[in-house]
């Protein structure tokens, strides 16, 4: 097959969803029906191929995004199964950054759940076309139409059902394909491998006609040719509908919707057909944009095997002590032994091996081509978000945004022998996980790790013990605070001292003022070269930025503050960079002390889905935790409560919520803002 033809037959897709919507079960069925695996792994048995980490198998959740490749109808599908838990949302973020399309899985009972919204908006942020799969149609309380209606409301999107359910709950028989007007059923004995098309049953014909009409009407709004045919009352073929729907999906105007029950092996083959039909090949996505690190001009790279090498490192993994770098190759090719250029670090590296991954299993290959997602060995200096390219055609792609940690925990080695191993193991874990932070606290002589939530830190500590054989004592989780000021002050400080045989002098005047919550930090230089020569301006700014790292109240970073450098003075022969830096740090710290400093704590968005009869208890409990209920949405037998609650009050919430609701409520939590509660 020619390289050009091959590119058009590749699909790079991710499976994304709220926790427990059935992403991994859908992925396992896809692998089984495409012949990639010969046994169906079940999440509840801890045997899912894609959940290969022991921590995933024990908890029945996905923690790390796993990559695999399979084939369907002559198309090569590169597939990433992502986590649904909010503590691991960086895995979704970095996967969507390099994918061309996404399958969003919804639970027909839970419908549009909190994390479904997060992943949907993450896909929108990167302009990724989507198809939706409404799973668990066989479960009590399943409602396909209500789920579609909620998608329309919540996402301001245009969901277009192309398959509708035939029956529901215990009576779920199969699906009806609206394009071909056929009813599809699955053979249970063959575990859903064999499926049959038949005529639409008589009692469904009027619904099918109505929904097919609606589908064509919706697509026609985005396709003038189809609209003309439709208005003239002409027959519209299945091929025309597919072609038109593909165009509208790729331009992010519509989202095709299918349904089924992955656990009961129903609905997966039509989903695979939809992936091939409606999601883009690498050729059809927008060219990646970046800037040339030499002349800083904007450049584009189209997906072309013969173009200059352009690839993004989107994930680092340690494999038995060796570093694996996952790459999405946008253009060009890489071969074993190639010298490549890391534009983000300004360093040359050598590719020693190229691997095609299947979860944690791998297959050695000799080259990777544009459109591929591969893992490589040999990139010693590479980190998540780095650009790998051809040194003669350098380009720096936009990196991946990382989230700030909100929770920390002190850890210390149990024995002197664990001390060296701990430093090594943490260095490896930090390379893998850009949302993990490490700090050594001089005052308490403790190592403090910070992450995205209690589960995130629990997994990190579990991995230290299992993978690196490091035994640690763990402190209680602590909240990561920030500091800010409440009023504006102007402050001037002078540093004047004789050190050795030289006199050092520096004087700086600063204006500090508070900013709105979430505004960050602004350092504004308003100095003229007459008052202080320009060569000293950078060290003054450096001094201020050093001061911002540790606040005056409890040593937490300063936020929501504007610092203007408004004046100072200079003495010929005495002024030195060191003196200005010390004067700037002193002025900043003393200014903060005068400006009524306060602590800000992380406030979290909390989404609770609870049976309606427990709503009063749940709201009462949120209020008792100093939370603020923002929205209550009834969803049939359950209600969704959206609230903002200080993180400090949320420790142990999962246990309390279970006891309040007989174990029937679920919740997700993510960082909102640093503020006073």
């Amino acid at each position: 097959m020619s390289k050009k033809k091959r590119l058009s037959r590749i699909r790079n897709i991710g499976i994304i969803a709220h926790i427990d919507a059935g992403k991994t079960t859908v992925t396992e069925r896809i692998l089984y029906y495409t012949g990639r695996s010969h046994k169906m792994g079940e999440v509840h048995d801890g045997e899912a191929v894609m959940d290969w980490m022991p921590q995933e198998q024990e908890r029945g959740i996905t923690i790390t995004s796993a990559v695999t490749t399979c084939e369907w109808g002559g198309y090569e599908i590169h597939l990433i199964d992502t986590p649904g838990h909010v503590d691991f949302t960086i895995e979704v973020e970095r996967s969507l950054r390099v994918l061309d399309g996404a399958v969003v899985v919804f639970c027909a009972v839970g419908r549009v759940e909190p994390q479904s919204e997060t992943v949907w908006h993450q896909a929108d942020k990167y302009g990724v076309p989507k198809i939706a799969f409404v799973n668990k149609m066989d479960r009590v309380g399943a409602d396909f139409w209500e789920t579609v209606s909620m998608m329309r409301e919540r996402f301001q999107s245009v969901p277009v059902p192309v398959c509708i359910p035939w029956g529901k709950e215990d009576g779920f028989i199969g699906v009806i394909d609206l394009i071909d007007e056929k009813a599809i059923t699955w053979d249970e004995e063959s575990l859903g491998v064999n499926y049959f098309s038949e005529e639409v049953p008589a009692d469904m014909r009027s619904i099918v006609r109505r929904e097919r009409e609606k589908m064509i009407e919706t697509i026609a709004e985005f396709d003038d040719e189809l609209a003309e045919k439709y208005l003239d009352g002409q027959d519209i073929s299945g091929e025309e509908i597919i072609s038109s729907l593909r165009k509208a999906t790729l331009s992010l105007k519509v989202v095709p919707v299918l349904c089924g029950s992955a656990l009961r092996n129903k609905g997966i083959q039509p989903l695979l057909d939809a992936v091939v039909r409606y999601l883009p090949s690498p050729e059809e996505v927008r060219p990646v944009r970046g800037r040339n690190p030499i002349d800083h001009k904007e450049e584009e790279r189209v997906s072309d095997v013969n173009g200059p090498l352009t690839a993004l490192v989107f994930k680092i993994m340690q494999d038995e002590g060796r570093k694996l770098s996952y790459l999405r190759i946008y253009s060009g090719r890489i071969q074993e032994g190639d010298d490549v250029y890391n534009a983000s670090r300004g360093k040359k590296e050598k590719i020693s091996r190229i691997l095609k991954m299947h979860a944690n299993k791998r297959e050695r290959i000799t080259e990777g081509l544009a459109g591929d997602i591969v893992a490589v060995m040999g990139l010693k200096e590479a980190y998540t978000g780095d650009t790998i390219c051809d040194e003669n055609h350098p380009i720096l792609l936009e990196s991946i945004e990382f989230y700030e940690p909100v929770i920390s925990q002190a850890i210390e080695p149990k024995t002197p022998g664990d001390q060296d191993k701990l430093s090594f193991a943490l260095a490896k874990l930090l390379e893998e996980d850009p949302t993990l932070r490490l700090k050594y606290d001089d005052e308490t002589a403790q190592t403090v790790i910070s992450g995205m939530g209690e589960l995130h830190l629990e997994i990190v500590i579990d991995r230290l013990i299992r993978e690196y054989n490091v035994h640690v004592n763990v402190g209680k989780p602590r909240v990561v605070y920030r500091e800010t000021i409440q009023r504006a002050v102007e402050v001037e400080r002078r540093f004047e001292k004789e050190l050795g045989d030289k006199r050092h002098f520096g004087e700086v005047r600063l204006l500090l003022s508070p900013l709105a919550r979430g505004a960050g930090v602004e350092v504004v230089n308003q100095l003229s070269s007459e008052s202080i020569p320009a060569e000293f301006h950078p060290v003054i700014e450096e001094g201020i930025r050093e001061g911002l790292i540790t606040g005056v109240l409890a040593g937490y970073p300063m936020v929501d503050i504007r610092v203007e450098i408004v004046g100072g003075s200079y003495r010929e022969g005495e002024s030195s960079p060191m003196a200005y830096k010390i004067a700037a740090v002193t002025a900043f710290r003393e200014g903060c002390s005068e400006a009524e400093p306060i602590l800000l704590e992380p406030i979290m968005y909390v989404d609770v889905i609870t049976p309606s009869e427990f709503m009063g208890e749940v709201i009462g409990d949120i209020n008792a935790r100093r939370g603020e209920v923002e929205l209550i949405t009834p969803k049939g037998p359950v209600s969704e409560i959206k609230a903002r609650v200080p993180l400090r009050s949320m420790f142990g919430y999962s246990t309390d919520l279970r006891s309040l609701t007989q174990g029937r409520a679920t919740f997700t939590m993510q960082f909102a803002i640093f503020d006073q509660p």
Side-chain angles (χ1 to χ4, degrees):
M1 192 191 294
S2 76
K3 300 278 192 287
K4 190 77 181 159
K5 185 87 186 293
R6 176 186 175 271
L7 206 53
S8 67
R9 299 183 82 80
I10 287 178
R11 299 289 182 270
N12 286 313
I13 65 158
I15 310 274
I16 60 176
H18 182 89
I19 193 164
D20 215 23
K23 278 180 315 306
T24 304
T25 306
V26 168
T27 310
E28 294 296 319
R29 299 306 185 265
I30 287 174
L31 297 182
Y32 187 69
Y33 298 139
T34 55
R36 191 70 182 80
S37 59
H38 303 292
K39 177 177 179 288
M40 252 185 225
E42 299 294 5
V43 176
H44 51 265
D45 296 334
E47 290 180 1
V49 173
M50 301 300 270
D51 285 352
W52 56 271
M53 286 172 70
Q55 293 86 348
E56 294 177 313
Q57 292 166 352
E58 286 166 7
R59 291 167 177 80
I61 61 168
T62 304
I63 290 168
T64 182
S65 50
V67 181
T68 190
T69 302
C70 54
E71 282 196 12
W72 183 254
Y75 287 80
E76 192 179 318
I77 300 173
H78 301 154
L79 181 69
I80 299 185
D81 175 32
T82 65
H85 198 287
V86 72
D87 279 19
F88 310 105
T89 194
I90 184 61
E91 292 287 338
V92 184
E93 185 87 19
R94 60 181 170 190
S95 300
L96 286 169
R97 172 71 175 78
V98 298
L99 290 169
D100 303 331
V103 175
V104 191
V105 180
F106 293 92
C107 166
V109 183
R111 294 157 212 169
V112 176
E113 295 169 286
Q115 193 64 9
S116 321
E117 293 187 52
T118 305
V119 297
W120 189 283
H121 296 314
Q122 281 174 304
D124 280 346
K125 175 170 142 190
Y126 292 114
V128 174
K130 300 170 280 292
I131 56 180
F133 181 72
V134 180
N135 191 25
K136 304 193 180 184
M137 282 306 307
D138 59 314
R139 289 264 305 274
V140 174
D143 193 327
F144 175 78
W145 299 108
E146 183 57 33
T147 308
V148 172
S149 164
M150 281 184 74
M151 285 165 64
R152 196 175 289 114
E153 281 166 34
R154 293 283 176 93
F155 307 133
Q156 278 79 55
S157 67
V158 182
V160 179
V162 290
C163 271
I164 63 170
W166 179 6
K168 70 173 187 177
E169 300 181 351
D170 288 350
F172 179 62
I173 301 164
V175 303
I176 293 175
D177 181 341
L178 294 179
I179 295 171
D180 295 331
E181 294 186 86
K182 291 283 181 196
I184 305 170
T185 55
W186 280 264
D187 168 32
E188 288 182 21
E189 276 184 32
S190 69
L191 295 178
V193 172
N194 299 327
Y195 57 105
F196 315 100
S197 284
E198 52 190 83
E199 290 301 312
V200 174
D203 61 336
M204 292 284 289
R205 280 179 199 152
S206 61
I207 298 169
V208 170
R209 266 197 301 274
R210 184 187 73 219
E211 290 305 323
R212 191 173 195 272
E213 193 84 1
K214 264 197 212 168
M215 173 183 72
I216 294 169
E217 210 173 281
T218 307
I219 309 166
E221 287 177 34
F222 307 103
D223 186 330
D224 294 344
E225 261 180 64
L226 197 78
E228 226 170 277
K229 274 191 143 186
Y230 175 65
L231 292 170
D232 288 348
Q234 294 179 39
D235 271 352
I236 294 168
S237 69
E239 285 76 25
E240 286 173 304
I241 295 173
I242 290 167
S243 161
S244 186
L245 194 48
R246 178 178 182 75
K247 277 185 235 154
T249 306
L250 297 190
S251 57
L252 306 180
K253 288 173 181 156
V254 303
V255 178
V257 184
L258 298 95
C259 63
S261 165
L263 194 62
R264 300 280 167 263
N265 312 315
K266 294 175 181 177
I268 300 300
Q269 291 92 339
L271 177 63
L272 280 162
D273 289 338
V275 164
V276 166
R277 283 174 177 176
Y278 309 122
L279 292 180
S281 72
E283 291 177 308
E284 292 166 304
V285 292
R286 293 177 304 196
V288 287
R289 298 180 71 83
R291 60 181 175 79
N292 186 314
I294 298 163
D295 60 19
H296 302 292
K297 285 185 179 163
E298 281 258 319
E299 287 188 17
E300 280 191 346
R301 290 277 197 274
V302 294
S303 200
D304 179 7
V305 175
N306 300 314
L309 173 65
T310 308
L312 187 77
V313 178
F314 70 94
K315 183 177 166 75
I316 301 286
M317 208 175 89
Q318 301 299 333
D319 182 46
E320 294 169 0
R322 285 170 299 186
K323 182 172 173 178
L324 276 184
S325 306
Y326 283 75
L327 296 183
R328 162 69 199 266
I329 306 172
Y330 289 105
S331 81
R333 65 180 74 208
I334 51 167
Q335 294 180 316
E336 277 193 6
D338 276 0
D339 289 316
V340 294
Y341 181 63
N342 183 334
S344 308
R345 311 276 154 202
K347 294 190 175 172
K348 283 185 183 175
E349 305 230 42
K350 195 179 208 52
I351 304 280
S352 58
R353 281 189 186 184
I354 306 171
L355 307 162
K356 189 180 264 193
M357 300 302 291
H358 176 49
N360 63 330
K361 297 180 180 66
R362 55 200 193 190
E363 175 192 330
R364 195 165 169 180
I365 53 177
T366 52
E367 68 173 355
L369 305 172
D372 283 349
I373 291 175
V374 294
V376 299
M377 285 182 176
L379 301 182
K380 294 185 176 66
E381 304 282 341
Y383 287 87
T384 300
D386 284 5
T387 305
I388 304 297
C389 59
D390 176 350
E391 195 176 4
N392 299 323
H393 300 89
I395 189 170
L396 201 51
L397 301 175
E398 187 188 339
S399 191
I400 299 168
E401 280 181 34
F402 304 132
Y403 299 92
E404 285 301 310
V406 292
I407 188 169
S408 61
Q409 223 167 11
I411 58 171
E412 57 185 30
K414 280 192 174 173
T415 66
D418 286 320
Q419 179 67 58
D420 295 337
K421 288 197 290 185
L422 178 62
S423 307
F424 171 79
L426 284 173
K428 295 288 185 193
L429 290 173
L430 283 165
E431 264 191 278
E432 274 189 36
D433 185 349
T435 56
L436 184 64
R437 299 278 197 283
L438 180 65
K439 186 176 133 192
Y440 185 74
D441 191 326
D442 292 319
E443 287 177 27
T444 58
Q446 284 179 317
T447 300
V448 178
I449 55 171
S450 305
M452 300 298 294
E454 286 180 272
L455 181 62
H456 184 198
L457 295 184
E458 185 190 308
I459 299 293
V460 167
I461 287 154
D462 194 19
R463 289 188 64 194
L464 280 175
I465 296 164
R466 287 196 205 204
E467 290 172 36
Y468 297 97
N469 196 26
V470 180
H471 295 280
V472 290
N473 295 319
V474 182
K476 277 189 171 172
R478 287 189 332 181
V479 172
V480 177
Y481 292 92
R482 293 286 184 270
E483 297 184 24
T484 192
I485 58 172
Q486 295 185 89
R487 68 183 183 90
V489 295
E490 192 164 333
V491 62
E492 189 170 40
R493 289 294 176 269
R494 173 185 294 188
F495 178 83
E496 197 172 0
K497 206 166 192 179
E498 203 160 303
L499 296 167
D501 56 354
K502 187 174 181 338
R503 192 163 186 77
H504 293 267
F505 173 85
E507 187 175 43
V508 176
R509 191 165 79 254
L510 305 177
L511 175 62
L512 276 54
S513 47
L515 291 175
R517 292 290 167 263
V521 170
E522 286 178 26
V523 179
V524 182
N525 183 356
Q526 294 191 346
L527 287 174
S528 65
S529 298
E530 284 78 55
S531 59
I532 297 176
E535 69 205 72
F536 297 114
H537 295 189
V539 291
I540 294 172
E541 284 191 40
E542 198 183 312
I544 292 165
R545 292 201 182 275
E546 267 183 32
L548 285 161
I549 295 167
T550 50
V552 292
L553 280 177
Y556 290 106
M558 302 288 296
V559 293
D560 304 340
I561 183 170
R562 178 184 170 91
V563 186
E564 293 172 63
I565 311 164
V566 290
S569 59
Y570 168 74
R571 282 186 197 166
E572 186 77 47
E574 289 187 12
S575 288
S576 69
M578 181 191 77
Y580 278 117
K581 188 173 180 180
I582 293 171
V585 172
T586 311
F588 176 75
R589 294 188 69 79
E590 291 183 12
C592 286
S593 299
E594 291 170 26
E596 297 174 15
I598 52 165
L599 273 183
L600 300 177
E601 61 178 307
I603 309 293
M604 311 301 284
Y605 287 125
V606 178
D607 252 295
V608 184
I609 303 223
T610 175
S612 300
E613 66 258 36
F614 300 113
M615 199 165 67
E617 287 91 330
V618 172
I619 291 170
D621 183 60
I622 287 170
N623 292 335
R625 292 171 191 271
R626 301 179 299 140
E628 191 183 310
V629 173
E630 293 189 331
L631 187 69
I632 298 167
T633 313
K635 295 183 175 179
V638 296
S639 293
E640 180 182 7
I641 300 164
K642 285 180 183 273
R644 282 159 62 116
V645 189
L647 175 61
R648 191 158 46 117
S649 310
M650 290 300 291
F651 290 130
Y653 184 60
S654 52
T655 310
D656 294 347
L657 185 66
R658 276 201 293 271
S659 58
L660 277 176
T661 61
Q662 298 169 9
R664 289 163 63 197
T666 59
F667 83 102
T668 58
M669 174 171 79
Q670 67 192 86
F671 173 70
I673 196 168
F674 281 101
D675 204 349
Q676 286 180 290

